[in-house]
Amino acid sequence: MAFIRRIKLTNVGMRVFGLYVASMLIIITVMGYLSYVKSTEMMENKIGGMALQNVQQMSKRIEKIIEGYEDRSLLVVGNKEIQKQLDGELSDEMERIENNNSNTAFLSNLVNSRNDVDSVYLFGEKGFSYHYSPRDSTPAYNPYIYDHSLELWYKQIREADGQAVYFGIHKSFITPWKAESGPVFCFGRAEKDFNSRGEIIGVTLYEIDPKEIMDILSEIDYDGSGMNVIIDGTGQIVGDKDGIRLSSMLGVQLEQKHQGIFSKRIDGEKVLVVYNKLETAPWTLVGMLRGSELMKEANDIRFYMLSLGVLFSAIGILLALIIASTVHRPLQKMIRAMHKAKNGDFDVRLEDKREDEFGYLFIHFNEMVAHIKELINELYVQKLLEQDLQLKMLGSQINAHFLYNTLDSVHWIARINKVDDISTMVFGLSRYLRLSLSEGRDEVYVSEVVQLIDSYIMIQKVRYQDKFTLLLKADTSLADFKALKFIFQPIVENAIYHGLEKKTGKGRLDVAFIRECNCMKFIVADDGAGISDDKLSELQLILKGGEPQDNRNFALRNINSQIKIAYGPQYGIEIHSRYGEGTTVTMTIPLTKRDQVKHAS
């Protein structure tokens, strides 16, 4: 009610509400009516087309299966051992056994290639026969006592003169009396003697498991409102999804076209019939759909669309009320933005782009606030520039060249006075600082890194005298590659301070720059005090990303983090150590000749 009262206080809100509701109802009504009419038309016109497409797709799949059967049967045609079997030209029992074993192996490979063959029968014109089935443990040689050549199917295969003859799905021609024998897909091909003039010496009959074809016929049943069957040229059903209608007549006369669609009343019910003739066999795939079931589904769709129209109309009215209640929001936005600007927030902007008077006010408000901020920033930047100028004037009094020249002077004074230790340390420090500063660059050449490490160790050797010996090796092929300059020295420093310094007696420090494929390995090994097992486990956990227990090991954590940020998570540091024997630290980074690494500060 409070909302209704607020709406009545403004004519703009009422006009917006009325216009929105009226336009929404008109649009929903028109769209609902047009959708209702169009859906009816499309459902009636497209059902037949969809059904025909399904039948065509099933036809192609069945044709593919039949082509596979024909290709496999061609492997048997012309086989010399099969021809011997059919012709009976075997000299003795040993040759018959060898021939039988050869044919068994050949047919076994043929059957196992798809594992769908139920039985293969060879019938010779001279009375010799052979039966192989993967379900039988032993193939049968001459198992049949009567002449199959008198059967109609035998005559049809023989008359085809070597072409494949398809009989469809039905009971076995050879063992129809077996109760456990289910329907099979049968086809045959005549066998010819290729050693003479090509006369027929027998036939081969194949019985295939029909499950693959029956599954295709059952995949699409049009939601229970129809069926798919295969018929021959006489209209007899030679294939269906469950074997119930086999050998019965379809009862519908088809046209002579390759494919078609038509409606027909069967037993007083309108039925939609679609058909498509197969290319690989003299059969036709027929789909039959009951019209009442299909139109019932169309009516369900129409009711659903009408229900949605009513629901969306109700939702639209509620949205209209909400929209009308928010007409005053532009003014509220303006007031809030002005309060923020008053409190010093000059980054505030009104992003609502409108074409009315509020839009004009928003644009000019944004320009005003931006101009005020620009004036303030100019004053602030001017003050910063003044401070920066003062700092530069102070910094110019001491620069890097002054430091290098001073250290160089100390170095020569020490040499003149023959103080070799001071001379060596100052020279090493001067070169170390020069390489470390490197004109402000984050990356330096590996050759410069080697000089940096050499200078640092030079200083440390003067300090520790003969505390350790050094072996520094560097692959010369790495010289022109670049790397972050601050990630090497701390590892050497750790080896000296935490390893060699604690060792009793003289130690050894090995530093190596090694190239492996597209990576560089920096290896620092010492024979110092080593690391205890618990401390080593903690270090390895930290290097893998674990949280440290305290603030120790900051240098290693920092270097490892810089490497992963600059080069990627697959690179970093590895530590191997044995307490009392020494420590080896290996750092792996990729090779790069350009400034490709990210800045890691």
Side-chain angles (χ1 to χ4, degrees):
M1 294 302 295
F3 160 72
I4 297 297
R5 287 194 295 271
R6 288 197 299 270
I7 289 297
K8 289 181 178 179
L9 293 178
T10 171
N11 291 331
V12 176
M14 287 299 295
R15 285 197 299 269
V16 171
F17 175 79
L19 181 61
Y20 184 89
V21 171
S23 60
M24 178 201 61
L25 291 178
I26 292 173
I27 292 174
I28 291 179
T29 302
V30 173
M31 289 185 61
Y33 175 77
L34 294 178
S35 299
Y36 177 85
V37 174
K38 193 64 177 179
S39 64
T40 303
E41 180 182 353
M42 292 178 62
M43 184 65 68
E44 293 175 349
N45 293 338
K46 296 298 181 181
I47 285 176
M50 293 171 58
L52 182 59
Q53 289 180 359
N54 292 332
V55 169
Q56 290 173 340
Q57 292 175 1
M58 288 189 290
S59 298
K60 292 179 180 179
R61 295 172 62 186
I62 294 175
E63 288 174 351
K64 205 71 176 179
I65 294 174
I66 294 177
E67 288 176 359
Y69 293 161
E70 186 164 350
D71 292 340
R72 290 157 64 190
S73 67
L74 287 174
L75 298 175
V76 180
V77 176
N79 184 284
K80 294 182 179 180
E81 298 300 322
I82 294 292
Q83 290 190 359
K84 285 184 180 181
Q85 185 87 55
L86 294 173
D87 200 42
E89 296 178 354
L90 304 172
S91 59
D92 51 27
E93 183 65 17
M94 180 60 66
E95 185 178 1
R96 186 192 69 79
I97 294 174
E98 291 177 356
N99 177 261
N100 193 47
N101 292 337
S102 176
N103 291 334
T104 299
F106 172 75
L107 293 177
S108 176
N109 291 332
L110 182 68
V111 169
N112 292 333
S113 64
R114 284 292 301 275
N115 198 27
D116 57 354
V117 177
D118 187 87
S119 293
V120 179
Y121 300 95
L122 303 177
F123 299 99
E125 293 284 293
K126 298 180 181 179
F128 300 99
S129 62
Y130 175 83
H131 169 232
Y132 174 80
S133 173
R135 296 180 302 178
D136 297 334
S137 59
T138 305
Y141 181 75
N142 278 345
Y144 304 107
I145 59 176
Y146 65 92
D147 189 6
H148 288 283
S149 63
L150 301 177
E151 300 288 342
L152 177 62
W153 58 266
Y154 189 99
K155 295 178 180 179
Q156 290 176 341
I157 296 175
R158 201 178 189 285
E159 290 171 359
D161 195 29
Q163 297 295 322
V165 179
Y166 297 95
F167 302 99
I169 303 174
H170 50 71
K171 279 282 190 178
S172 171
F173 288 140
I174 310 302
T175 59
W177 63 84
K178 290 186 178 181
E180 71 276 8
S181 177
V184 292
F185 181 89
C186 298
F187 73 97
R189 188 187 292 272
E191 296 285 341
K192 295 183 178 182
D193 187 0
F194 292 99
N195 295 324
S196 60
R197 290 177 296 177
E199 64 267 24
I200 296 176
I201 60 175
V203 301
T204 304
L205 181 68
Y206 302 86
E207 292 183 351
I208 311 294
D209 186 356
K211 183 178 184 302
E212 189 172 7
I213 295 179
M214 296 174 75
D215 287 344
I216 293 176
L217 296 176
S218 63
E219 283 180 2
I220 302 175
D221 63 351
Y222 312 101
D223 296 330
S225 64
M227 64 178 183
N228 300 299
V229 295
I230 302 175
I231 63 172
D232 60 16
T234 65
Q236 183 178 6
I237 297 177
V238 295
D240 68 349
K241 66 178 182 179
D242 48 22
I244 297 177
R245 304 171 187 83
L246 293 176
S247 300
S248 62
M249 300 301 294
L250 180 64
V252 177
Q253 185 66 33
L254 303 180
E255 299 179 1
Q256 297 300 319
K257 298 179 181 179
H258 181 75
Q259 61 185 25
I261 176 172
F262 61 93
S263 298
K264 185 177 180 63
R265 286 198 171 271
I266 301 178
D267 297 332
E269 183 179 9
K270 185 178 180 180
V271 176
L272 182 66
V273 180
V274 294
Y275 65 92
N276 184 74
K277 294 185 179 180
L278 303 183
E279 299 287 346
T280 55
W283 295 337
T284 302
L285 179 59
V286 182
M288 304 179 68
L289 302 81
R290 291 198 298 270
S292 59
E293 293 293 330
L294 294 173
M295 295 313 298
K296 179 181 178 181
E297 182 176 347
N299 292 331
D300 292 339
I301 294 176
R302 296 167 191 162
F303 177 77
Y304 178 73
M305 293 175 61
L306 291 175
S307 300
L308 286 180
V310 174
L311 177 62
F312 288 148
S313 297
I315 295 174
I317 293 174
L318 292 176
L319 291 176
L321 295 174
I322 296 173
I323 291 174
S325 69
T326 58
V327 172
H328 66 289
R329 289 183 179 176
L331 183 58
Q332 291 181 340
K333 286 185 177 180
M334 187 75 174
I335 294 173
R336 287 195 295 267
M338 292 179 68
H339 278 297
K340 289 182 180 179
K342 179 182 176 182
N343 294 328
D345 183 6
F346 294 103
D347 290 324
V348 63
R349 295 291 184 273
L350 292 170
E351 303 295 341
D352 194 359
K353 297 180 180 180
R354 303 172 63 94
E355 299 296 333
D356 54 11
E357 292 79 2
F358 284 109
Y360 178 82
L361 292 175
F362 289 174
I363 293 173
H364 287 277
F365 175 84
N366 291 339
E367 292 177 353
M368 179 186 67
V369 174
H371 187 59
I372 294 173
K373 182 180 179 181
E374 184 178 352
L375 293 175
I376 293 175
N377 286 339
E378 287 178 359
L379 294 174
Y380 181 72
V381 170
Q382 183 177 359
K383 184 177 293 186
L384 289 178
L385 289 175
E386 292 176 356
Q387 294 177 355
D388 184 62
L389 180 60
Q390 293 175 358
L391 291 174
K392 287 185 177 179
M393 292 176 63
L394 293 174
S396 63
Q397 299 176 16
I398 300 176
N399 53 47
H401 292 289
F402 172 76
L403 181 59
Y404 299 154
N405 293 335
T406 302
L407 290 174
D408 193 48
S409 298
V410 174
H411 163 65
W412 285 107
I413 292 173
R415 291 197 62 178
I416 291 172
N417 289 278
K418 298 182 179 181
V419 186
D420 294 335
D421 289 345
I422 295 177
S423 173
T424 302
M425 292 186 72
V426 171
F427 176 74
L429 178 60
S430 176
R431 190 172 64 161
Y432 180 82
L433 290 175
R434 191 183 302 273
L435 294 171
S436 295
L437 295 177
S438 60
E439 299 177 353
R441 291 175 290 142
D442 288 337
E443 293 180 282
V444 294
Y445 290 104
V446 174
S447 59
E448 294 178 307
V449 174
V450 175
Q451 295 179 33
L452 185 71
I453 297 301
D454 184 56
S455 299
Y456 174 76
I457 296 177
M458 180 190 299
I459 298 171
Q460 295 295 347
K461 288 195 69 176
V462 174
R463 175 185 175 186
Y464 287 98
Q465 296 298 327
D466 295 329
K467 182 66 177 179
F468 62 89
T469 59
L470 169 68
L471 177 62
L472 177 61
K473 297 189 300 183
D475 192 332
T476 56
S477 65
L478 297 171
D480 293 332
F481 292 98
K482 286 189 174 183
L484 293 173
K485 63 184 176 183
F486 292 120
I487 60 177
F488 297 90
Q489 179 268 336
I491 298 178
V492 179
E493 181 178 347
N494 281 348
I496 295 174
Y497 286 134
H498 301 294
L500 296 174
E501 186 176 298
K502 297 179 181 180
K503 177 181 176 66
T504 302
K506 191 172 184 178
R508 175 187 175 92
L509 179 63
D510 294 338
V511 179
F513 293 82
I514 300 174
R515 180 173 182 174
E516 289 187 3
C517 298
N518 294 324
C519 295
M520 180 181 74
K521 289 187 178 293
F522 177 62
I523 303 174
V524 179
D526 67 81
D527 59 354
I531 306 173
S532 61
D533 292 340
D534 55 344
K535 180 63 177 178
L536 180 62
S537 300
E538 181 183 353
L539 283 173
Q540 292 174 341
L541 178 62
I542 291 173
L543 294 178
K544 291 180 180 179
E547 291 295 331
Q549 298 179 358
D550 49 38
N551 292 326
R552 296 179 299 173
N553 311 308
F554 176 78
L556 281 180
R557 283 192 288 117
N558 186 30
I559 294 172
N560 196 54
S561 299
Q562 289 189 57
I563 293 172
K564 293 186 181 300
I565 292 173
Y567 300 110
Q570 67 271 37
Y571 303 102
I573 297 175
E574 296 180 359
I575 297 180
H576 300 280
S577 179
R578 292 181 66 86
Y579 187 71
E581 296 182 10
T583 303
T584 300
V585 179
T586 303
M587 180 175 69
T588 305
I589 61 174
L591 297 178
T592 174
K593 286 192 175 182
R594 295 177 296 174
D595 296 337
Q596 295 176 336
V597 300
K598 297 174 287 187
H599 182 264
S601 61

